[in-house]
């Protein structure tokens, strides 16, 4: 049975098809409407949350967190500055200690050189005196070896 008693082709639907379509469309309409309402409610909640992030209590918490972070960064910067000062002071103290140790080493070296030179001079002088006393004996002994006959040691005064 057709809805319009004229031959319109595919535009003229059957009454049974319209009834089946209307019966199936009703529950589908209510199902889609319910899903759209839920979707709108979720979107509104999301908008409320986003609004809360940009303002309200969440913004206050974010501002507080930013303030605390800035305080921590300032504290860290101060600690780094103090550490740099301590390192610089330690370098300066180390340089002073190194310079003092170097001066002490140079002083000890100079004292050792002076002491060594004086000892060498004293030993050289004593050896010279000893050799001057023995020079005539050594000379006569050497001459006797060269000549092959004993030569008497002279009691010359030297120079």
């Amino acid at each position: 049975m057709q809805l319009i008693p004229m031959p319109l082709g595919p535009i003229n639907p059957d009454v049974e098809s319209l009834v089946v379509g209307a019966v199936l469309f009703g529950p589908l309409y209510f199902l889609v409407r319910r899903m759209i309402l839920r979707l709108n409610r979720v979107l509104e909640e999301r908008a409320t949350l986003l609004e809360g992030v940009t303002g309200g209590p969440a913004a206050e918490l974010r501002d507080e967190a930013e303030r605390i972070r800035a305080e921590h960064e300032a504290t860290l910067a101060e600690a780094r500055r103090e550490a740099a000062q301590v390192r610089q002071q330690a370098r300066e103290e180390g340089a002073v200690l190194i310079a003092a140790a170097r001066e002490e080493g140079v002083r000890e070296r100079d004292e050792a050189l002076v002491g060594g030179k004086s000892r060498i001079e004293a030993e050289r002088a004593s050896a010279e005196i000893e050799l001057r006393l023995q020079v005539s004996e050594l000379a006569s002994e050497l001459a006797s070896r060269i000549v092959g006959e004993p030569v008497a040691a002279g009691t010359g005064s030297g120079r």
Side-chain angles (χ1 to χ4, degrees):
M1 172 172 169
Q2 293 195 348
L3 188 58
I4 302 174
M6 294 173 42
L8 296 175
I11 297 177
N12 196 3
D14 293 331
V15 175
E16 299 90 20
S17 297
L18 283 176
V19 171
V20 169
V23 168
L24 291 177
F25 179 75
L28 183 65
Y29 171 77
F30 288 112
L31 180 69
V32 169
R33 182 173 179 236
R34 190 172 182 190
M35 286 178 20
I36 287 176
L37 290 175
R38 282 186 184 175
L39 183 64
N40 283 338
R41 190 172 44 234
V42 168
L43 289 175
E44 287 175 5
E45 288 177 10
R46 178 176 175 244
T48 305
L49 287 175
L50 288 175
E51 208 174 278
V53 169
T54 59
E60 292 173 9
L61 287 174
R62 189 180 66 243
D63 292 341
E64 179 71 17
E66 289 291 327
R67 185 186 58 78
I68 290 172
R69 186 174 57 92
E71 288 176 3
H72 285 289
E73 287 177 359
T75 304
L76 285 174
E78 179 67 22
R80 286 185 186 115
R81 188 183 62 77
E82 288 176 7
Q85 287 178 344
V86 168
R87 282 193 305 268
Q88 182 62 31
Q89 184 179 3
R91 280 189 199 112
E92 291 171 358
E93 289 176 3
V96 168
L97 291 174
I98 289 171
R102 187 172 287 142
E103 288 176 11
E104 178 70 20
V106 168
R107 186 184 57 76
E108 288 177 4
R109 181 199 65 191
D110 291 343
E111 288 176 1
L113 286 175
V114 168
K117 284 181 182 178
S118 64
R119 262 195 322 269
I120 290 172
E121 283 297 319
E123 287 179 10
R124 188 178 79 58
S126 70
E128 187 178 340
I129 291 171
E130 190 175 315
L131 283 176
R132 283 189 189 259
L133 294 175
Q134 294 177 359
V135 78
S136 61
E137 292 174 13
L138 291 173
S140 63
E141 185 180 328
L142 185 59
S144 356
R145 282 187 188 171
I146 292 174
V147 173
E149 295 179 11
V151 177
T155 58
S157 64
R159 288 189 218 180

